[in-house]
Amino acid sequence: MKSAILHGYMPGFGNDFETEALPGALPHGQNSPQACAYGLYAEQLSGSPFTAPRGINERSWLYRMRPSVRHTGRFGKASLPFWKTAPCLDDHDLPIGQLRWGPPPMPNEGTNFISGIRTMTTAGDVNTQTGMAASVYLVNQSMIDEYFFNADGEMLVVPQSGGLRFFTELGRIEVTPGEICVIPRGMKFRAELLDGPARGYLCENYGAKFTLPDRGPIGANCLANPRDFKTPVAAYEDKETPSELTVKWCGKFYKTKIGHSPLDVVAWHGNYAPYKYDLRTFSPVGAILFDHPDPSIFTVMTAPSGEEGTANVDFVIFPERWSVAEHSFRPPWYHMNIMSEFMGLIYGQYDAKPEGFVPGGISLHNCMLPHGPDATAFEKASTVELKPHKLTNTLAFMFETRYPQHLTSYAASVETLQTDYIDCWTGLDKRFTGTP
């Protein structure tokens, strides 16, 4: 096997990059020369319609050993029964309600990044390219001579325990807890373990791709700064071994056998590429006098829906930060929301749920189902001395969507479902006295 395994990243969000693993592999001044250097083929990968406005037009030119049509043969059906796609309705008999889970258990059988995905919720409709799916991944094996691409949507990976290396067509990305990565729709990759079994969360975004939110009156700085996003430099495999490529297309899976690695891109340029981001570089903005801002102020990335201010998916985090508001109830307030909130805890403790919501766990507060701090958090926040306090060693996140999130049968039956979650609010008794 010949390969160029280059390490390094190029900074910036949505930039137009160029990179080559061999000198002179990238043509200059044009995209499709009559004959490419090194006997390579020129191929365009488009993530948007050709006529999309410049600001959202996504495409990259790839210079590869074989065109992608040679990375597929005749497809056969494949089965990944735990990976579900919207619409996935009536998959269980559990009534509606506020829900919470402990960390899902690692399977006893061998699972790689693809076979280890366990979908928890789906929303929208993949056939109309709206909505999302929220999953966990449970990985105890690397992918070897196995490759995958997702035609249904881009994949936002949020590690919680253990690290992963994604070898994509456009280069290698390593992510560990506290970081995220995004693999674009249609991009081939395989995933390898870095340091033992890995567990984390996955958001499959069927709609418009993730972008950075407008800051409005906040101005040009803080939140997620573009320079902190990292895109990999070119790297390739020249490997002639029997391999399998699995494709996810409209919720179904298909497999084809090939005799080589499809990760054969020697050079590329464009703005349609995978990237990673360290969540610890997020610069939070908050209340510095009184009250609690909307959680949307912690949005890292957003996938717009076409309706202004209403996201197909928002990716929101709750990082380390100072809490300084005067004469205010500092935890998140009680709430009913048209948006549906899938929440996970990467590490530490979440201030509104000090018990029961543990790292690797999940909560789901669906469209118009009320939620808020549990009784313990309410009592403490209502009586504690309001001096400046730093929330440390904590990192939670939320996949929030405008669509109702429907449970899968796995989510409704997994052993870590906390059937007593609703009881955390039973101590919120009537306090009204009728007197000032």
Side-chain angles (χ1 to χ4, degrees), residues 229-242:
F229 290 81
K230 309 295 184 186
T231 291
V233 298
Y236 67 86
E237 286 184 331
D238 185 5
K239 187 168 67 169
E240 307 285 331
T241 57

Side-chain angles (χ1 to χ4, degrees), residues 94-153:
L94 200 67
I96 62 167
Q98 302 88 341
L99 298 170
R100 189 168 69 187
W101 295 262
M106 185 67 68
N108 293 321
E109 69 276 11
T111 55
N112 61 30
F113 181 75
I114 303 306
S115 62
I117 287 174
R118 305 288 185 263
T119 303
M120 302 292 291
T121 70
T122 68
D125 186 342
V126 71
N127 297 290
T128 59
Q129 297 188 351
T130 56
M132 54 157 280
S135 303
V136 293
Y137 63 81
L138 306 164
V139 182
N140 54 34
Q141 288 182 348
S142 294
M143 296 171 69
I144 300 174
D145 297 327
E146 298 172 282
Y147 303 89
F148 177 82
F149 77 84
N150 192 337
D152 287 345

Side-chain angles (χ1 to χ4, degrees), residues 28-81:
H28 292 278
Q30 66 177 121
N31 295 322
S32 187
Q34 183 180 21
C36 296
Y38 297 98
L40 298 172
Y41 290 86
E43 177 178 278
Q44 185 174 234
L45 175 61
S46 294
S48 66
F50 296 140
T51 54
R54 180 180 293 272
I56 57 172
N57 201 300
E58 303 282 339
R59 65 90 180 95
S60 286
W61 277 92
L62 284 50
Y63 301 90
R64 60 192 319 153
M65 299 173 197
R66 298 175 177 88
S68 285
V69 292
R70 293 288 287 119
H71 297 322
T72 63
R74 289 182 173 84
F75 282 100
K77 290 185 178 180
S79 177
L80 291 169

